[in-house]
Amino acid sequence: MKKLLTVFLLVFLVMAFTTTATFASEFIGIATGSTGGTFYPVGVTIATIIEDAIGEELGVRFSAHTSGGSADNLQMLSFNEIEMAIVGAVPTSQAYRGVEQYEGAEIKNLRYVTALYPEVIQFVYRKDSDIETIQDFVDKRIALGPPGGGGTFYTPPIFEAVGGFSEEDFRAEYMGYSDSAQAMQNNLISAAYLGASYPTAAVSELYASPVDVDILEFTDEEIADLQALAPYFTKVVIPEGTYPGQDRDLSVVGFKTSIVVTEDVSADVIYAMLNAFYLEELDELHERQSALKPVVLEEAISGLSGAPLHPGAVRFYEEQGFEIPEELMPPEL
C-alpha cells in the first residue's frame, strides 16, 4: 500500500509539473506602483484579463507587482528584473534618451507597448495649513510620493516654473500614497503629491475623512509658464463630484502614462496582448477599471515619444492602419 501511494504521488507530481510547464513557458511580471495609487489596480486588472485571454494559448503568465512607481520601474526594466511596467511616458522618454536625471545613464532596452490614460497632478493639502498657492509649500512638510515614484520627475519643473522655488525650500517626505493619506489625516504633513488617474483611492480617502482638504489648482497663466519649461504637461479638468464633497471642477495639469517592456519580450506575446487589449477585451477593461475608460485604440500611440515601440506593437498598429512615426520605430526593425 505504501509503495502504491508513493507511485501515485510521483505520477501526480510529474503531471502537475508537466501541466505547469506547458501552460507557463513565459512569465511576465508587471511593475506598477504603490497600493494607494492607480498603477497597481490598473496593473492587476490588465494582468488578469490579458492572461485569461491569451495565457493558455501562448503559455504565458502575467502578474502585477507593487513598486515605488515610474523611476523604480525603469530601474527594474534596465536590469531585466521585470519584463513589463506601467510608467509615465515622460520618464520613459528621458531614460531612453539619457537626459535629465538619466544623463550618462540611458536605458536602451525600453520599448513602448501602448499609451494608457492621462495621469493628473494632484497636490492635496489640508485647508488648515495656510496653503492657498504652490508658493505656500515653502518651509512646510510635503509628501512627494514613494522614493523613485512619479513625484521625482514631475514636481521639480512645477516648483520651478509655477512656484519659483525648489525641493530644498521645503521638507520633502517620501512615502506611498496610502501612507501619505494617513500622514495628512494625522497632521504630520501639510500636503501630498498624489499623481494618478482620477478618481485616486488615496485622494478619495482624504476627501471622505474628517480632515478638510482641497486640491491645488493651476491658472491658465501658470499652465502656460509650466508648458514653456516642460511642454509635455497639458491642462486637465477633474469634474465636480469626482471626489466626496468636491463641489467644483478642478483645473490641474497632466500627462500620458504607458505600458513599457524590455526588448527581449516575445513579439508574438506583445502582438497577441494588444489584439486582446483593444479588439477583444477593451469593454471588459473599461468596466473593471475606471482609470482605463479614456483608453481607446485611436489614441494608442498618442503622447508617446522619445523611445521606440516594441516590434510586436509595430506589427499590430500597422495592421490597424496606423502610420508609425519614425521616432517610434525600434532600431531592430
Side-chain angles (χ1 to χ4, degrees), residues 31-113:
T32 59
S34 65
T35 55
T38 307
F39 281 15
Y40 179 69
V42 165
V44 170
T45 300
I46 291 173
T48 302
I49 292 177
I50 298 302
E51 182 177 309
D52 286 346
I54 69 173
E56 187 172 358
E57 179 183 354
L58 296 184
V60 61
R61 297 290 301 270
F62 292 84
S63 60
H65 304 271
T66 59
S67 73
S70 288
D72 192 20
N73 295 349
L74 288 168
Q75 189 75 0
M76 286 190 284
L77 289 166
S78 72
F79 290 108
N80 291 300
E81 296 172 349
I82 201 82
E83 293 78 24
M84 182 179 291
I86 299 176
V87 189
V90 175
T92 301
S93 171
Q94 293 174 348
Y96 187 84
R97 293 181 294 123
V99 299
E100 302 295 337
Q101 61 181 291
Y102 290 98
E103 187 171 353
E106 60 187 22
I107 305 176
K108 287 298 188 181
N109 69 333
L110 306 177
R111 300 291 184 269
Y112 284 124
V113 174

Side-chain angles (χ1 to χ4, degrees), residues 1-11:
M1 182 67 182
K2 184 176 181 181
K3 184 177 180 180
L4 183 62
L5 184 61
T6 301
V7 171
F8 175 79
L9 182 60
L10 287 172
V11 171

